[in-house]
Amino acid sequence: MTVPKKIIRQCKKFDEKAQEHIYKKYAPDLLGICRRYFKNLSKAEDVMQDAFVTIFSKIAQYKGSGSFEGWMKRITLNTALIQLRKDKKEIISENFDFLETEKKEIKKKELNLSDIQSVIENANFDQFEIIEFMDELPEGFKTVFNLYVIEGMKHKEIAEELDISVGTSKSQLMRAREKLKKILYKKAKEKLRNNRKKY
Amino acid sequence: MQDEITFIDDFINKKIKDFKIKPSREWREMQTYIKNKGIKSVSYNGVKNIFNLKNEIIILSFLAALSVSVYLFNNQDNKQIETIKKTDRIITDTVNNAVLKSDEKTLKISPDSNSNINISDNSKNLINKNKTVKIKVQVPVHKNVVIKKKVFVIDTFDKK
């Protein structure tokens, strides 16, 4: 996935054909990023559109030192984070509501990792199923998990980006993993059960 | 605990790192949106194609320039021939009253006007045999300005 330098040069001149080329080629990737953070597809597309506005308006700032795709993805992520910060109030309240019930659930039944692992892997979940399962996480959990696991950011960076403490970032990540493990296990068992019924 | 962390992280990462979705919004909608946001979107149409063919244009321009140079070089004398032909007024021992075009000025060559036109006997013979002969013409344009030209004469001196 590389963008020819000629296309980037033309895009810097605001050539609509070059802009169209970049949009058509990279919108699915950038929307994929946005969708990981926003359950609502329409909102994810709004964020992606805003990301493209930034990309096309600031393309002159891209000096070619890194990959153009990486530059676009970083802008998209930043745009998503800006939107998340706007929605911060909602995220925090949702997280705290969840924390209390989740603590009880985790204590109630501890699952054996090897059992969980084999069941989850046998379910052969596709990308869309995984995205849907992640949507079941509270916004805050999902965001921290995405930033840490998928984007490879450190807790300090996440804390700065989301304006939360490092401790909060760590605890949300831990709980996100725990919750995801349970969701995946539950969904995997359901899927395997349904598959058995079919045959 | 470490295994569990690794498993969940790796499993999810592997599944959705390159997650893509085709947007429902077409380019036209996006274009309208970015224009509304004040971002320029310029259509170069035909001109754009020329820009796309930058290398080809450079080569073609070079070849065109080369062709023009060669043509002008080769046809400099032919133009003079044409000029002389058009005048149809080539007189026997001089190019009397021949009208030559030099740049944008029309000059009259006349034996009475200090024109320094010397045609050798050999050239005269050749001209009479309908051969092309190159002669030197010096035409006074102004008191201190003299245009030196090489003129081909293909007409006959006898033709009057």
Side-chain angles (χ1 to χ4, degrees):
Chain A
M1 169 164 141
T2 51
V3 183
K5 285 180 181 173
K6 196 162 78 175
I7 297 288
I8 298 171
R9 276 201 305 273
Q10 286 172 334
C11 209
K12 284 181 179 179
K13 293 174 188 168
F14 302 102
D15 181 349
E16 71 172 28
K17 286 285 170 198
Q19 289 173 339
E20 184 180 357
H21 175 88
I22 287 175
Y23 178 79
K24 284 184 174 171
K25 190 166 185 188
Y26 297 103
D29 295 87
L30 304 191
L31 182 57
I33 292 172
C34 298
R35 178 61 184 84
R36 287 206 306 260
Y37 292 89
F38 300 95
K39 185 178 178 177
N40 184 309
L41 185 59
S42 179
K43 186 165 187 175
E45 286 204 49
D46 287 345
V47 174
M48 179 202 68
Q49 281 193 322
D50 286 337
F52 269 111
V53 167
T54 309
I55 288 165
F56 292 144
S57 63
K58 295 194 172 173
I59 194 163
Q61 291 175 14
Y62 172 70
K63 302 297 178 195
S65 52
S67 85
F68 184 66
E69 295 81 1
W71 182 78
M72 286 195 296
K73 284 181 175 179
R74 182 66 211 178
I75 285 179
T76 305
L77 178 61
N78 284 342
T79 311
L81 291 174
I82 289 167
Q83 188 58 48
L84 285 169
R85 276 197 290 271
K86 285 181 189 169
D87 303 341
K88 190 182 168 189
K89 214 171 180 179
E90 184 189 329
I91 296 168
I92 289 172
S93 61
E94 200 178 339
N95 286 349
F96 282 116
D97 289 345
F98 176 78
L99 284 176
E100 291 307 311
T101 51
E102 183 60 10
K103 272 181 190 172
K104 288 172 194 167
E105 273 183 34
I106 292 167
K107 278 185 181 175
K108 221 184 276 177
K109 116 177 145 178
E110 289 294 330
L111 297 167
N112 179 290
L113 179 65
S114 59
D115 292 343
I116 296 168
Q117 202 167 327
S118 61
V119 171
I120 292 172
E121 282 174 347
N122 285 336
N124 285 325
F125 292 125
D126 63 26
Q127 283 188 319
F128 290 93
E129 285 174 310
I130 298 291
I131 291 289
E132 279 175 16
F133 302 156
M134 287 187 72
D135 285 339
E136 293 186 22
L137 292 175
E139 290 290 327
F141 287 18
K142 186 168 75 173
T143 304
V144 172
F145 186 87
N146 266 317
L147 292 175
Y148 188 89
V149 176
I150 313 295
E151 315 299 347
M153 286 170 72
K154 305 289 177 203
H155 282 297
K156 194 168 178 285
E157 293 171 298
I158 296 170
E160 283 169 5
E161 288 285 0
L162 300 179
D163 197 19
I164 56 174
S165 70
V166 171
T168 305
S169 175
K170 284 181 180 175
S171 67
Q172 294 215 344
L173 176 66
M174 194 182 75
R175 282 170 173 80
R177 282 184 185 127
E178 197 59 41
K179 177 81 176 164
L180 263 175
K181 183 181 77 179
K182 286 172 190 283
I183 293 168
L184 287 168
Y185 180 65
K186 187 183 157 196
K187 299 286 182 184
K189 281 208 301 187
E190 282 174 13
K191 191 172 182 180
L192 293 171
R193 205 181 301 128
N194 289 338
N195 285 348
R196 275 198 293 270
K197 276 182 191 171
K198 279 182 194 170
Y199 300 106
Chain B
M1 190 63 186
Q2 185 58 44
D3 285 345
E4 188 176 316
I5 290 170
T6 310
F7 168 67
I8 295 292
D9 288 6
D10 289 352
F11 181 79
I12 301 287
N13 197 4
K14 199 169 69 183
K15 288 280 185 184
I16 63 165
K17 190 166 180 63
D18 297 318
F19 180 60
K20 297 175 187 181
I21 318 176
K22 192 177 183 298
S24 63
R25 297 170 198 178
E26 293 296 326
W27 164 244
R28 288 291 153 214
E29 196 177 342
M30 178 68 208
Q31 195 181 26
T32 307
Y33 185 76
I34 63 170
K35 277 182 178 172
N36 288 341
K37 289 280 180 177
I39 309 300
K40 274 199 280 182
S41 188
V42 183
S43 174
Y44 287 93
N45 293 329
V47 179
K48 178 188 159 295
N49 294 332
I50 291 172
F51 284 121
N52 283 342
L53 297 169
K54 196 178 168 187
N55 291 335
E56 291 83 344
I57 291 296
I58 289 169
I59 293 165
L60 287 173
S61 301
F62 175 76
L63 289 174
L66 189 67
S67 304
V68 168
S69 304
V70 169
Y71 175 83
L72 289 176
F73 181 78
N74 289 336
N75 288 280
Q76 186 64 32
D77 294 337
N78 291 339
K79 280 186 178 174
Q80 298 297 341
I81 292 168
E82 196 181 357
T83 308
I84 296 289
K85 270 183 179 175
K86 277 180 184 172
T87 64
D88 271 341
R89 298 180 67 182
I90 297 170
I91 314 299
T92 49
D93 56 343
T94 61
V95 192
N96 190 19
N97 293 327
V99 177
L100 296 176
K101 279 193 176 177
S102 173
D103 298 327
E104 292 178 2
K105 293 174 184 172
T106 302
L107 307 170
K108 277 191 175 181
I109 299 173
S110 158
D112 307 326
S113 61
N114 298 326
S115 296
N116 184 7
I117 302 170
N118 297 312
I119 302 177
S120 66
D121 290 339
N122 187 33
S123 293
K124 286 177 188 174
N125 289 333
L126 289 170
I127 290 165
N128 285 330
K129 289 174 186 171
N130 274 340
K131 302 282 184 187
T132 302
V133 174
K134 189 158 71 177
I135 59 169
K136 286 181 181 176
V137 181
Q138 286 187 320
V139 185
V141 180
H142 190 263
K143 194 165 67 179
N144 297 321
V145 180
V146 173
I147 293 177
K148 292 181 180 178
K149 307 191 75 168
K150 284 182 179 177
V151 180
F152 283 91
V153 179
I154 55 167
D155 218 334
T156 63
F157 284 100
D158 294 334
K159 187 179 172 186
K160 211 168 180 182

